[in-house]
Amino acid sequence: MSIKVKPDGDFVFTGDIEKDPSDVIDLVIDYAPFFKTDTIGTITVTGTNITVDSSSVASNVVTVWVSAGTDGVDGEVKLNVVTSTRTLERTLVIKVLNK
């Protein structure tokens, strides 16, 4: 799923983020509109009720791979992104549903 971060720091995407408990999905989050000329230095990604398999950053785009979860229990992915001048922490909610 492709997600953009607006200049005010809010996420922009269409529809709900959904996955089956057995799916492994990638979330691609583009922070360029928010950070403009800053460059991401570090990211910390944690999951609640979902497994964060890995994360990476290239330019100002973060890719997070998530898996697992329990049917009917929302998972959360918390992203803490730091540049030399700013920190932005946001949480994405992922609906976990048997499909």
Side-chain angles (χ1 to χ4, degrees):
M1 162 153 295
S2 181
I3 301 163
K4 290 206 180 278
V5 180
K6 294 190 302 184
D8 65 3
D10 288 340
F11 288 123
V12 178
F13 54 92
T14 303
D16 293 328
I17 303 174
E18 295 181 348
K19 70 175 282 317
D20 186 274
S22 62
D23 291 346
V24 178
I25 65 170
D26 63 321
L27 306 169
V28 180
I29 304 119
D30 182 358
Y31 285 89
F34 180 76
F35 288 129
K36 297 181 177 127
T37 59
D38 286 345
T39 301
I40 295 174
T42 61
I43 58 169
T44 304
V45 183
T46 55
T48 302
N49 299 323
I50 203 160
T51 301
V52 174
D53 295 321
S54 65
S55 61
S56 62
V57 62
S59 297
N60 278 335
V61 177
V62 173
T63 302
V64 180
W65 288 89
V66 296
S67 63
T70 302
D71 179 42
V73 179
D74 287 350
E76 293 184 352
V77 175
K78 184 182 287 187
L79 298 112
N80 187 307
V81 180
V82 180
T83 71
S84 61
T85 60
R86 301 193 219 186
T87 299
L88 182 66
E89 183 175 281
R90 294 292 185 270
T91 301
L92 287 167
V93 176
I94 299 173
K95 294 182 181 296
V96 180
L97 304 167
N98 281 331
K99 295 188 174 212

